[in-house]
Amino acid sequence: DTAVSQTPKYLVTQMGNDKSIKCEQNLGHDTMYWYKQDSKKFLKIMFSYNNKELIINETVPNRFSPKSPDKAHLNLHINSLELGDSAVYFCASSHLSGDPRSGNTIYFGEGSWLTVV
Amino acid sequence: GQNIDQPTEMTATEGAIVQINCTYQTSGFNGLFWYQQHAGEAPTFLSYNVLDGLEEKGRFSSFLSRSKGYSYLLLKELQMKDSASYLCAVRAGGGNKLTFGTGTQLKVEL
């Protein structure tokens, strides 16, 4: 199936641990994103990569480090996890430009539910 | 910065029509998107407007007025499965960065 897929879907871990979430897309897009959705369901962008280059870097603690080995993959590594990091993390992808009919629509993965205890 | 407002909750009856409004304040406006999100699932794309006017896709339509900073999503012939959160998102400037509103939780009742 063509999609944005991310793993793991659920992750429960202790404070202070380091964890990674992996994301892959086979939609042929050149841009990938990480969004965070908090307990109040507010969806906020964290990072965006275009062809492996960081283009959006919001005000995110430097404990969060994205890595894009190629344009189809964007992983998120989180160091020294804190209780406040508990959220749903959505990977997404799109064309950056050149697709005016669809508006370069962003497509989301299924989400990774991170719980820090 | 950007400011996006939409109602927190709405309730409507199966078979009816509901309009979900979204107002925004931004500079460098470059498109407005509506997404649907069921509980525990990913946001899924519904519609896109960049020019003023109405875009229709089956039971869903979306309207944009750039001069008023206003959009609405119109859902016709409501079905129970339409119960979900509806997210308004604005793109401004470059980088295809979307800023989302807090979402409108729609409950469809019998």
Side-chain angles (χ1 to χ4, degrees):
Chain A
D1 288 343
T2 55
V4 181
S5 56
Q6 52 184 111
T7 55
K9 188 173 174 71
Y10 300 102
L11 184 56
V12 180
T13 188
Q14 291 187 324
M15 275 195 304
N17 284 350
D18 303 339
K19 290 294 178 186
S20 293
I21 307 172
K22 295 185 177 181
C23 180
E24 175 182 4
Q25 57 93 6
N26 60 3
L27 296 167
H29 292 154
D30 56 7
T31 304
M32 296 185 72
Y33 312 80
W34 279 108
Y35 278 80
K36 178 181 180 180
Q37 190 168 43
D38 60 24
S39 57
K40 296 182 179 178
K41 309 302 181 189
F42 185 50
L43 192 60
K44 193 171 187 320
I45 190 167
M46 300 172 68
F47 303 103
S48 174
Y49 272 74
N50 173 250
N51 285 320
K52 302 193 295 178
E53 181 183 345
L54 182 66
I55 59 171
I56 296 174
N57 185 358
E58 293 294 286
T59 307
V60 177
N62 57 16
R63 297 182 295 104
F64 290 77
S65 53
K67 282 190 171 53
S68 181
D70 56 61
K71 68 177 186 179
H73 295 83
L74 179 61
N75 303 322
L76 182 65
H77 188 75
I78 315 171
N79 288 328
S80 303
L81 278 157
E82 301 176 357
L83 292 176
D85 297 332
S86 296
V88 185
Y89 292 86
F90 286 101
C91 179
S93 73
S94 76
H95 293 293
L96 183 62
S97 61
D99 190 7
R101 194 165 61 88
S102 78
N104 303 308
T105 300
I106 293 176
Y107 294 91
F108 287 85
E110 294 295 309
S112 294
W113 270 253
L114 173 64
T115 302
V116 183
V117 297
Chain B
Q2 297 178 41
N3 191 27
I4 301 171
D5 288 314
Q6 48 182 132
T8 304
E9 294 177 338
M10 297 183 72
T11 301
T13 305
E14 189 179 34
I17 299 173
V18 72
Q19 177 174 313
I20 303 174
N21 296 324
C22 172
T23 58
Y24 63 90
Q25 295 172 315
T26 189
S27 56
F29 175 83
N30 192 21
L32 188 142
F33 296 78
W34 285 96
Y35 282 80
Q36 179 192 62
Q37 187 177 24
H38 285 101
E41 297 183 10
T44 55
F45 169 72
L46 288 178
S47 70
Y48 161 66
N49 296 71
V50 68
L51 299 177
D52 292 350
L54 190 68
E55 293 285 338
E56 295 186 80
K57 289 174 73 173
R59 294 190 299 116
F60 293 72
S61 304
S62 57
F63 172 83
L64 175 67
S65 169
R66 288 171 297 171
S67 62
K68 294 181 180 176
Y70 169 68
S71 172
Y72 67 71
L73 179 70
L74 195 71
L75 292 79
K76 302 175 186 175
E77 301 170 16
L78 278 172
Q79 302 175 10
M80 299 298 288
K81 68 178 182 180
D82 297 329
S83 293
S85 181
Y86 290 85
L87 307 172
C88 172
V90 171
R91 182 173 61 204
N96 206 21
K97 173 184 169 182
L98 289 187
T99 300
F100 283 82
T102 52
T104 298
Q105 187 65 45
L106 173 67
K107 184 178 179 183
V108 179
E109 298 178 329
L110 291 171

